[in-house]
Amino acid sequence: MGSACAKAILFGEHAVVYGEPGIAIPVPQLTVTATFSEQDYMKSFRSLHINSPEVGLDTDIYDLKSTHPIRHLIELLQIELGISELPHKTLTIRSSIPLESGLGSGAATSIAIIRAFSGEYDHPLSVDRVSALAYEIEKIYHGTPSGIDNQVIAHGIPIFFRKGSPVEPLNLTQSLPLIIANSGIKSPTREVVGDIRDHFDQHEQVIHEIGSLSLAARDALLRWDMEQVATLMNENQRLLRLLTASNERLNDLIDIALKAGAPAAKLTGAGRGGNLIALYRNELERMHIQKALSEAGAQVYL
Ligand code: PMV
């Protein structure tokens, strides 16, 4: 079995696509698992069978289009691990990460599958190799991915990220007091990233300012200056709105979180739907924010 967890981007989504820095953390409470099992002998599958209830797949691998991310990944793994013929087994993929919602479900699914194959074929892969293979599939999901999702999920630790540079682990002294809440609107990353790219000239300055926030946020996080982290998060959200990455529903939910006492709240991931993150200072505050967001119809994960 292979598994991988979700991720949340604290700072710098979209800006990272253009080489600006960003900060991301793993979210171990939401996971994907990929498990090999023997096939039911009553059914006669031609080859590896993929069963993924959350994605709605129950199919032989060769019945998937050759461009399908899972098929493409498995073909890459065949080359990587020297597998000439796929096993007549079932690969079951289960996920608690909401799809197309900014929490890295695509990268986590790829990495869970990579780890399952690595285990099944007793072929250890380095973290960098796992990340690089997942990045190939991110190109299908995202178009022009920065690589932040595959890096943070492969490493499984908070990271300071800049495209093309080695990943910098962020040694946080405590776990972040964060609520993650789902707007309920699915939002394909590829479309949002593509649309913002089409208006890049208009957004260049804002993108650069977001990068500066990530730099300041790294220092604030390392000092555990949560007041400063909150200020920077709110500023990041203001800039994301200028980028057109937010939308009415996210803006409303963010206002609700702030009114319920959150010192900061922002969207996370590509935006125009998906999830938001909100900070809290104590348990009472957490309960208030969680209640207010739930009452507004958001699914609260943490
Ligand atoms: O997959 P998402 O929705 O978490 O988006 C990833 C973050 C972006 O910066 C919007 C895209 C990227 O490739 O970095």
Side-chain angles (χ1 to χ4, degrees):
M1 186 186 96
S3 68
C5 72
K7 65 96 225 271
I9 297 181
L10 292 184
F11 291 93
E13 45 274 274
H14 290 290
V16 285
V17 173
Y18 307 96
E20 295 292 341
I23 296 175
I25 55 166
V27 178
Q29 291 84 349
L30 298 171
T31 55
V32 181
T33 57
T35 313
F36 280 104
S37 60
E38 297 304 323
Q39 286 179 357
D40 180 345
Y41 70 95
M42 294 295 282
K43 296 179 183 161
S44 57
F45 299 128
R46 280 185 297 133
S47 179
L48 180 67
H49 191 79
I50 308 289
N51 181 22
S52 176
E54 285 77 23
V55 181
L57 280 184
D58 188 12
T59 174
D60 276 15
I61 180 93
Y62 295 116
D63 290 332
L64 292 174
K65 280 197 187 140
S66 59
T67 51
H68 190 284
I70 291 179
R71 177 160 172 189
H72 187 55
L73 174 61
I74 289 174
E75 286 176 352
L76 284 181
L77 284 165
Q78 281 191 266
I79 299 167
E80 181 79 19
L81 307 180
I83 306 165
S84 50
E85 200 187 327
L86 288 171
H88 283 243
K89 290 192 175 182
T90 294
L91 184 65
T92 302
I93 302 163
R94 296 308 311 257
S95 177
S96 58
I97 308 177
L99 301 176
E100 297 185 337
S101 301
L103 297 180
S105 69
T109 301
S110 296
I111 290 177
I113 294 172
I114 295 166
R115 289 178 174 156
F117 268 81
S118 163
E120 179 77 7
Y121 287 89
D122 209 7
H123 187 132
L125 292 168
S126 69
V127 170
D128 286 339
R129 206 54 214 138
V130 169
S131 181
L133 286 163
Y135 183 67
E136 289 307 307
I137 307 309
E138 288 294 280
K139 291 181 193 166
I140 302 178
Y141 287 120
H142 285 196
T144 53
S146 64
I148 192 169
D149 285 15
N150 47 286
Q151 287 286 28
V152 67
I153 294 171
H155 283 82
I157 52 168
I159 61 165
F160 180 79
F161 171 88
R162 195 194 285 265
K163 195 175 176 179
S165 299
V167 159
E168 212 180 286
L170 261 190
N171 293 318
L172 303 183
T173 50
Q174 302 168 46
S175 82
L176 281 161
L178 272 188
I179 287 172
I180 300 182
N182 196 337
S183 68
I185 300 170
K186 284 191 179 177
S187 173
T189 301
R190 184 184 252 283
E191 279 171 29
V192 190
V193 170
D195 191 45
I196 290 177
R197 177 181 291 286
D198 288 345
H199 299 89
F200 177 76
D201 290 352
Q202 225 166 295
H203 296 315
E204 201 170 352
Q205 180 57 28
V206 171
I207 284 168
H208 190 61
E209 282 174 38
I210 293 177
S212 305
L213 288 183
S214 296
L215 284 169
R218 172 178 59 178
D219 294 347
L221 282 165
L222 291 174
R223 288 197 311 273
W224 204 252
D225 179 350
M226 294 311 281
E227 239 177 79
Q228 178 66 357
V229 170
T231 304
L232 294 166
M233 261 174 72
N234 287 327
E235 178 60 7
N236 196 163
Q237 173 60 18
R238 189 184 70 80
L239 296 174
L240 283 163
R241 282 181 71 156
L242 292 179
L243 266 192
T244 71
S246 204
N247 67 2
E248 218 173 298
R249 173 79 174 141
L250 280 169
N251 294 341
D252 285 351
L253 291 172
I254 286 167
D255 275 354
I256 286 166
L258 295 173
K259 285 201 182 104
K266 67 178 272 293
L267 68 86
T268 186
R272 296 196 190 163
N275 280 267
L276 63 104
I277 51 175
L279 281 181
Y280 59 87
R281 282 167 289 214
N282 53 55
E283 275 307 290
L284 191 63
E285 207 164 81
R286 181 185 64 73
M287 276 158 39
H288 277 138
I289 303 163
Q290 200 163 332
K291 186 164 173 282
L293 287 169
S294 301
E295 280 172 3
Q299 186 177 358
V300 178
Y301 295 108
L302 307 170

